[in-house]
Amino acid sequence: MNKPPYLMTARGIVKSYGPTSVLKGFDLSVAAGEVHAFLGGNGAGKSTFIKIISGQIDRDSGSLEFAPNSASSSAADASDENTIAVVNQELALLPHLTVAENIALPRSRRGYGLFNASEARRIAVDALSLIDPTFAQASVDRLVADLSLHERQLVEIARALDSGASLLLLDEPTANLTAGETERLFTVIRRLTVDKGLAVLFVSHRMREIRQIADVCTIIRNGQTTIDRVALTSITDAEIVEQMGQAALGPAAEPRAQRRPRTSGDGIDAGKPNDLRVQTDGIDLEIASGTILGLAGPPDGPEALMDALIGVSRAGKWSIARNGTAVSYRRPSTAARDGVGFVSGDRANKGILANLPIVDNLAASARIVGRKRAVRREEVAQGSDLLDALSIRAGSLWDLPATLSGGTQQKLLIARWLRLKPTVLVLEEPTRGVDIRTKQEIYALIREMAAQGAIIVWWSTEYLELVELCDTVLAFDPDGHPTSVLRGDSISEAGLAHATGMAA
Ligand SMILES: Nc1ncnc2c1ncn2[C@@H]1O[C@H](COP(=O)(O)OP(=O)(O)OP(=O)(O)O)[C@@H](O)[C@H]1O
Ligand SMILES: [Mg+2]
């Protein structure tokens, strides 16, 4: 694998945020034509490094070298520089422009005034068609503000893939994609690396994906390189996890069979019934206290049901009953006071309160449920407990959430509900961007809440996670229609792929 010169070589990179020392002499080099997995736990410094090499933030010291671009021979693009395209972990589209404008504008050398709209449309459709031709036609004229998180992710990836850059930096690009979209993305990446010598630096916490797509890996731990350009064929999962500092998690998850039967527990208002019934055309599902219900499939179907459960939109085609009584929440605060908790998958737009300190972010749900304004002293103590409970490393409770890494912000959203013991907890991709160890911690927390009688409704695009965790799974097809209910040991990855219309 060692055949310098590399396309990009970073040596001895140092970066601190105030007193927080993140990169302490970090090295990484990327060769043309390779997919390079960049691995490390939450808060290790991956996004920080990506922002440094793409020029979004400055490094304190260290050297960064790019090889001269041998591919640019024509006079038109006779730059000596290799170009870089980046898809950041927290997406960065301009919400008030259309999809076409967002994709084409960065390429326009003429400024917005001379911008050619039909040309932009063509560029955007071509770019989006790399991943999904149907989505390309349907979305090109829409405003980015009206797109879901998942759709925005597709737009950003398409923009980067089609940019002609020689180095592509993808910071957890698959965290918001369905299995089918991830597959298509990988196909495009393979083609561009082989045909055009594109180099890809790829961040993901999903081990299986890393093995599917990457050739080599570099691992960061404590601000330094612990594994430097090692071929993925010569390192095991266990070694990777250990090198990331995530080993020794105690006993593996209990097999499903040993977890059941779960009876209505003592944690949540002992003795009170807690059941949920959801009905629509062809589906009538009664969900008992203590059940972990998975929702599988592309976003439309699961989102409509979750929105109805948490009072974001009227129930629409769903009828919902709790403890035998029909309910229709008009707003999320009503649902929250009725014991329905919700963790949004779109943390940047719907979860994190970016302008308020961590302590307020932690107390947000409790304030809504208890109709409270700030009760500072109590909240500070509880806030510290919650940080401990999920091993959230924060400078101080008074720092802003932006000072936390992506995965750590995700933990914050879950921590909000821990003390409140919701009777129904609706989770939208709660482990998005979360590292392997933290995932296990979150699974344990969810199982514990279920064991105490809570009903958990969990949407995930990662089938493995649903298989591992759920008692029952409701599967949806790509048009958003529920197709089937899988239970117990009949929940398998192949079964889910089939039920969601994603089978290969
Ligand atoms: N703007 C900032 N101000 C202060 N600290 C920051 C800032 N941005 C990041 N940090 C800190 O730098 C460290 C590295 O964060 P970074 O986002 O690079 O981690 P990461 O490896 O991308 O993690 P994740 O897998 O969760 O995305 C963390 O401790 C984080 O809290
Ligand atoms: Mg990150």
Side-chain angles (χ1 to χ4, degrees), residues 45-67:
K46 301 178 298 295
S47 298
T48 301
F49 180 71
I50 282 184
K51 286 179 189 157
I52 288 173
I53 49 180
S54 54
Q56 300 173 72
I57 56 175
D58 291 330
R59 58 192 185 271
D60 299 336
S61 62
S63 73
L64 209 50
E65 277 174 37
F66 292 90

Side-chain angles (χ1 to χ4, degrees), residues 76 159 196 216 227 273 283 339 362 391 441 453 497:
R159 172 165 80 174
K196 305 222 161 139
V216 296
I227 289 286
I283 296 283
L362 285 166
S391 344
E441 287 169 5

Side-chain angles (χ1 to χ4, degrees), residues 309-378:
L309 283 171
I310 64 168
V312 159
S313 63
R314 288 310 194 86
K317 62 179 181 178
W318 288 98
S319 316
I320 295 168
R322 293 195 59 199
N323 308 325
T325 309
V327 290
S328 172
Y329 303 117
R330 281 160 195 249
R331 51 173 72 97
S333 54
T334 317
R337 285 177 200 130
D338 202 27
V340 181
F342 173 58
V343 174
S344 167
D346 187 356
R347 60 177 170 256
N349 292 293
K350 297 193 205 139
I352 291 290
L353 307 166
N355 298 318
L356 294 178
I358 291 170
V359 63
D360 294 287
N361 270 276
L362 285 166
S365 300
R367 288 183 191 159
I368 290 169
V369 171
R371 298 175 194 275
K372 276 187 277 190
R373 301 258 173 83
V375 189
R376 277 295 151 103
R377 214 162 359 141
E378 191 182 313

Side-chain angles (χ1 to χ4, degrees), residues 17 20 22 40-49 89 171-172 205 393 402-408 433:
Y17 290 106
T20 314
V22 181
N42 289 138
K46 301 178 298 295
S47 298
T48 301
F49 180 71
Q89 187 172 13
D171 197 349
E172 298 191 38
H205 293 291
R393 276 185 302 156
T403 63
L404 303 175
S405 78
T408 311

